[in-house]
Amino acid sequence: MGLLERMTCGLAAGLLGLGAAGAQQMAITFDDLPAHGIKPPGMTRVDIAQSILGTLEREHMPPTYGFINGKRVDEDASSLAVLQAWRKAGQPLGNHTWAHIDLNDETPQQFEAEVTRNEPLLKQLMGDQDWHWLRYPFLHEGDTVEKREAVRDWLFAHGYKIAEVNMDFEDYLWNDPYARCLAKHDDASLQRLHDTYLATADEYYGVFRQLSQMVYGRDVKYVLLLHIGAFDAKMLPELLALYRSKGVSFVSLPEAEADPAYKDDPAVAEPTGGAGLELMMKKERLKFPPNSKPYKELDAMCR
Ligand SMILES: [Zn+2]
């Protein structure tokens, strides 16, 4: 899109009053249902899910997809209650492969079998509602272009849509240190986890908006990746408040993914995976803006 065209679109959006409700739109999604990360002492998987579901309801959030790995239910039948609670709250479920496998290590046929193996559970829980959304584990979409395209073709032929991500701050990094710090009653570290989680979410909100500007010259409709972890549950009210303070309004996954940007296939081989915008950056050979995450600090905390 040329500059003039972009300006015209901006003007039209302004005239229609689209700016008022929040210029940026975002869907939030949760991965790894029913079980993600270490459980803090005395907390169950259902407690974590109920905390998230309670926040979604209080905050009047649009339907929020949770992406499931059926194998966890096979390993621990009690975790089925998490998926049932999700559905009872009216929230939809999608496919994250049976055993959270890594496409880098699999043939397309093996990957497709893992997607299929998850389907009876999805059908059982979702009935005639739309569970044909696939979230790639580790955001690994294929380490060769051939593998990437073979899996995409299979998914589309089987009625799947790809639940592409383009807003990500690696929220999962905080869940395990949180469980450790709670067990140690380390209040100073817990405060530090709180502060760095929000600061990193804030920084990457800016980074991904920059990527969106670089690739598309506008804000795409964003899809945020979160995980069903204890710290994500605790932080969700403040995280939503942070995004709202920046003018974000929340939409459902299908609404966000209706953005034409999601029709683009970057068609790159990327073993380390990444959000859609990151893959587009790679395709366009664009340089990533500066960014940082406290990997080492989080990993060392409360050991
Ligand atoms: Zn996952």
Side-chain angles (χ1 to χ4, degrees):
M1 194 186 280
L3 180 62
L4 185 63
E5 205 180 333
R6 254 180 251 159
M7 285 169 66
T8 314
C9 284
L11 187 64
L15 288 171
L16 290 167
L18 296 177
Q24 296 81 249
Q25 298 188 323
M26 186 191 289
I28 74 165
T29 59
F30 286 89
D31 279 16
D32 299 359
L33 274 65
H36 172 85
I38 305 174
K39 277 184 301 181
M43 205 177 283
T44 68
R45 297 286 174 203
V46 174
D47 293 337
I48 294 167
Q50 291 293 10
S51 167
I52 290 171
L53 292 167
T55 301
L56 296 177
E57 188 183 0
R58 272 193 305 280
E59 296 284 334
H60 305 290
M61 294 292 285
T64 302
Y65 268 87
F67 293 92
I68 74 166
N69 305 115
K71 186 168 189 233
R72 306 289 167 256
V73 178
D74 229 27
E75 291 164 345
D76 172 9
S78 74
S79 69
L80 180 62
V82 167
L83 307 182
Q84 289 166 334
W86 203 264
R87 292 297 299 130
K88 197 168 172 221
Q91 305 294 2
L93 298 168
N95 203 332
H96 197 36
T97 75
W98 173 254
H100 205 280
I101 54 157
D102 186 340
L103 180 51
N104 290 357
D105 304 329
E106 313 287 329
T107 64
Q109 292 73 24
Q110 287 167 328
F111 186 85
E112 291 150 18
E114 282 281 314
V115 172
T116 306
R117 198 172 170 191
N118 224 14
E119 291 183 350
L121 187 57
L122 282 162
K123 276 182 201 156
Q124 176 196 321
L125 289 156
M126 285 288 283
D128 57 4
Q129 295 200 39
D130 185 13
W131 47 267
H132 279 89
W133 286 94
L134 187 277
R135 169 69 45 77
Y136 288 96
F138 313 102
L139 304 184
H140 287 179
E141 301 187 1
D143 53 337
T144 67
V145 173
E146 294 70 24
K147 195 192 271 187
R148 174 190 173 84
E149 298 307 309
V151 171
R152 285 173 71 92
D153 289 349
W154 182 91
L155 288 170
F156 297 147
H158 288 77
Y160 277 95
K161 287 125 354 229
I162 294 166
E164 192 65 69
V165 167
N166 52 22
M167 181 63 70
D168 178 18
F169 62 98
E170 293 185 275
D171 64 296
Y172 65 90
L173 292 167
W174 279 258
N175 286 313
D176 287 359
Y178 175 61
R180 295 196 301 268
C181 293
L182 266 186
K184 290 195 165 186
H185 306 285
D186 183 340
D187 290 340
S189 294
L190 290 168
Q191 183 64 46
R192 181 79 190 142
L193 286 170
H194 168 275
D195 296 348
T196 54
Y197 184 95
L198 291 177
T200 307
D202 192 347
E203 178 184 343
Y204 280 81
Y205 177 70
V207 168
F208 277 93
R209 285 196 72 191
Q210 259 182 288
L211 302 189
S212 186
Q213 285 296 333
M214 290 167 81
V215 175
Y216 291 106
R218 65 181 176 93
D219 281 297
V220 297
K221 293 184 182 179
Y222 297 102
V223 176
L224 173 68
L225 169 60
L226 295 173
H227 294 77
I228 188 161
F231 199 59
D232 281 299
K234 179 181 169 55
M235 294 304 294
L236 188 57
E238 287 181 81
L239 183 65
L240 298 180
L242 170 71
Y243 290 127
R244 284 201 165 113
S245 77
K246 304 202 168 269
V248 169
S249 57
F250 295 105
V251 296
S252 70
L253 179 70
E255 284 175 276
E257 304 264 353
D259 188 308
Y262 294 97
K263 293 213 164 48
D264 281 346
D265 175 8
V268 289
E270 183 49 85
T272 58
L277 282 170
E278 294 173 292
L279 298 180
M280 288 300 292
M281 292 285 288
K282 180 165 176 169
K283 179 196 171 194
E284 308 278 357
R285 298 176 192 278
L286 293 168
K287 196 168 171 288
F288 225 78
N291 64 93
S292 64
K293 287 194 192 97
Y295 292 106
K296 280 186 184 158
E297 182 187 0
L298 294 172
D299 188 52
M301 273 168 113
C302 301
R303 292 278 182 193

